[in-house]
């Protein structure tokens, strides 16, 4: 035997290694091809490989009409055998169908997103109670004067050069006679707003007021604050006084002055509809505060102007002192005359009748 050299030995070893590698590779390739062909045969022809109810794969008019487009928009070809599938792509005939993918969980909006997306509802304020509603809708005295300047009178015409002295809460037997004495001495006529209950109590004093040329107006029956009364009670206060005064003086007064000067809108409208003229004042002597004569005089003369209606009192409550009014009255009359202001009754100043028609 020929002795092999090291080079020859290395060459022979390399040849054997390569041959083994190539053979193994060819064997594996052939085996893969056989497995692929075996797997593809039932997928194309066996009815077990087709989903139930699929039917024949022949191209029919219906199949042609239903040919879908690929994702790129190109039509699917119906000609030629289907492309071979890999082993991993072909399911086993006996394998159970793959479960359907689980549906994506519903997205629950957060509370913050609800607040952002939810439309804002219109706020409906709570209905006020009847008591609150009535108070909020009631007009003040100044608002009533602005709204009804022809119904709620505070002054007469400045062009007339006249002023009116008015006295509330009469009659009584203490201060009313003294005021009448001063007016008679200075030959001045005034307007007296009488309280019905007091008039019934002192009928002779009521008759003296009329006899000496003064005018009488209605000042309620018991000096109740009208705005605290229902409309029915308000009307009762007015009508009861009218009846009492008509029996004493022979006529129903047209002039009406609310106690404290306060009246509601509905009461004002009712009185106006029934022919009354509601008259307040624009100069307040504040004598009801039991002021001294100097202060009463100053309160009047500092604020009086042509057309002014001056408020004083000739009757008061129990223990009320109105001596300041009586003592101030002569100075007030003399000063008004010195200013060429004519002192008249309210019907003369306002040019209205003293009695209801």
């Amino acid at each position: 035997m020929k002795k092999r050299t090291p080079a020859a030995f290395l060459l022979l070893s390399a040849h054997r290694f390569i041959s083994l590698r190539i053979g193994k590779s060819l064997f594996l390739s052939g085996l893969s091809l056989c497995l692929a062909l075996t797997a593809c045969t039932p997928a194309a022809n066996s009815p077990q490989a087709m989903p139930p109810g699929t039917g024949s794969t022949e191209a029919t008019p219906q199949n042609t009409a239903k040919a879908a487009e690929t994702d790129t928009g190109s039509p699917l070809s119906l000609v030629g055998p289907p492309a071979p599938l890999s082993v991993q792509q072909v399911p086993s005939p006996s394998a159970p169908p793959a479960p359907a993918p689980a549906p994506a969980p519903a997205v629950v909006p957060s509370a913050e997103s609800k607040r952002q997306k939810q439309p804002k509802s219109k706020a409906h304020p709570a209905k006020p109670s009847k008591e609150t509603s009535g108070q909020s809708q009631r007009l003040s005295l100044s608002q009533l004067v602005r709204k009804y300047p022809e119904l709620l009178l505070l002054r007469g015409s400045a062009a007339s050069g006249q002023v009116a002295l008015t006295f509330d809460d009469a009659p009584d037997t203490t201060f009313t006679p003294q005021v009448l004495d001063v007016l008679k001495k200075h030959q001045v006529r005034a307007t007296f707003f009488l309280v019905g209950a007091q008039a019934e109590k002192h009928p002779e004093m009521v008759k003296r007021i009329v006899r000496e040329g003064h005018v009488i107006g209605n000042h309620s029956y018991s000096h109740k604050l009208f705005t605290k009364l229902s409309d029915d009670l308000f009307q009762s206060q007015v009508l009861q006084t009218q009846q009492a005064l008509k029996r004493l003086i022979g006529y129903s007064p047209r002039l009406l002055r609310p106690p404290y000067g306060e009246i509601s809108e509905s009461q004002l409208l009712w009185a106006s509809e029934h022919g009354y003229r509601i008259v307040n004042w624009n100069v307040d002597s504040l004598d009801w505060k039991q002021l001294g004569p100097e202060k009463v005089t100053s309160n009047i003369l500092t604020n009086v102007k042509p057309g002014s209606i001056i408020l004083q009192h000739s009757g008061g409550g129990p223990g009320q002192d109105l001596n300041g009014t009586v003592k101030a009255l002569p100075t007030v009359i003399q000063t008004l005359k010195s200013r060429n202001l004519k002192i008249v009754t309210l019907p003369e100043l306002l040019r209205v009748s003293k009695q209801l028609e």
Side-chain angles (χ1 to χ4, degrees):
M1 177 182 284
K2 189 182 286 188
K3 189 177 182 179
R4 296 177 183 175
T5 63
F9 180 78
L10 289 174
L11 183 62
L12 180 61
S13 299
H15 179 267
R16 289 177 177 176
F17 177 79
I18 292 171
S19 298
L20 290 173
R21 295 290 293 181
I22 291 174
K24 185 177 181 180
S25 176
L26 291 174
F27 174 78
L28 293 175
S29 297
L31 180 62
S32 297
L33 180 60
C34 291
L35 291 174
L37 292 175
T38 303
C40 289
T41 300
N45 301 319
S46 174
Q48 297 178 355
M50 292 184 289
T54 302
S56 173
T57 58
E58 293 181 1
T60 64
Q62 291 82 357
N63 291 337
T64 304
K66 294 180 181 179
E69 293 185 355
T70 63
D71 294 339
T72 59
S74 61
L76 294 172
S77 175
L78 299 177
V79 180
L85 302 176
S86 64
V87 178
Q88 291 80 1
Q89 293 174 321
V90 179
S92 173
S94 60
V107 180
V108 180
S110 64
E112 182 66 23
S113 63
K114 285 184 179 180
R115 285 194 294 269
Q116 293 176 355
K117 294 181 180 179
Q118 185 175 4
K120 293 183 179 180
S121 59
K122 295 183 180 180
H124 296 283
K127 291 185 178 181
S129 63
K130 292 183 178 180
E131 181 178 357
T132 305
S133 176
Q135 291 175 353
S136 63
Q137 294 177 357
R138 177 175 294 165
L139 298 179
S140 66
L141 187 61
S142 59
Q143 290 173 326
L144 284 174
V145 172
R146 287 194 296 270
K147 188 173 182 179
Y148 304 105
E150 301 300 322
L151 302 184
L152 183 54
L153 305 177
L154 304 181
R155 64 182 65 84
S157 171
S160 65
Q162 300 172 331
V163 295
L165 295 177
T166 65
F167 298 90
D168 284 8
D169 300 349
D172 68 3
T173 56
T174 303
F175 300 107
T176 301
Q178 297 182 62
V179 169
L180 288 173
D181 291 342
V182 174
L183 294 174
K184 184 176 182 179
K185 179 180 180 179
H186 292 274
Q187 299 181 349
V188 169
R189 292 187 301 167
T191 303
F192 290 79
F193 285 95
L194 306 187
V195 176
Q198 289 293 103
E200 290 178 335
K201 198 179 292 185
H202 308 290
E204 291 301 321
M205 194 58 60
V206 175
K207 294 177 181 180
R208 178 185 171 184
I209 292 171
V210 174
R211 187 169 59 248
E212 293 182 1
H214 305 291
V215 174
I216 288 179
N218 187 325
H219 197 46
S220 82
Y221 187 79
S222 56
H223 208 270
K224 297 290 185 181
L225 180 60
F226 285 170
T227 54
K228 296 293 185 181
L229 302 180
S230 67
D231 286 352
D232 289 341
L233 290 177
F234 153 76
Q235 295 170 20
S236 176
Q237 285 277 320
V238 173
L239 297 176
Q240 194 173 355
T241 303
Q242 290 291 91
Q243 294 172 359
L245 293 177
K246 187 173 183 180
R247 288 195 300 267
L248 294 172
I249 64 178
Y251 67 89
S252 297
R254 188 178 188 188
L255 303 179
L256 173 64
R257 174 171 287 174
Y260 315 101
E262 296 289 338
I263 191 170
S264 72
E265 184 175 15
S266 60
Q267 294 165 356
L268 174 64
L269 294 176
W270 177 89
S272 299
E273 289 171 359
H274 287 77
Y276 297 95
R277 298 308 302 269
I278 292 78
V279 184
N280 276 351
W281 60 88
N282 67 336
V283 176
D284 191 352
S285 67
L286 299 177
D287 59 347
W288 55 271
K289 293 184 176 181
Q290 306 181 78
L291 303 176
E294 295 82 6
K295 187 61 178 175
V296 173
T297 302
S298 174
N299 289 341
I300 295 173
L301 297 180
T302 300
N303 298 290
V304 71
K305 296 176 182 179
S308 289
I309 299 175
I310 302 167
L311 170 64
Q312 296 174 275
H313 293 78
S314 64
Q320 189 173 19
D321 185 2
L322 294 175
N323 280 304
T325 301
V326 176
K327 294 178 181 179
L329 190 54
T331 303
V332 169
I333 293 174
Q334 292 170 1
T335 305
L336 292 176
K337 288 183 176 181
S338 69
R339 295 181 183 179
N340 295 319
L341 294 173
K342 185 178 181 181
I343 303 173
V344 297
T345 63
L346 281 176
E348 294 175 86
L349 178 65
L350 302 176
R351 298 181 180 180
V352 297
S353 171
K354 68 179 182 180
Q355 62 186 20
L356 291 174
E357 302 297 335

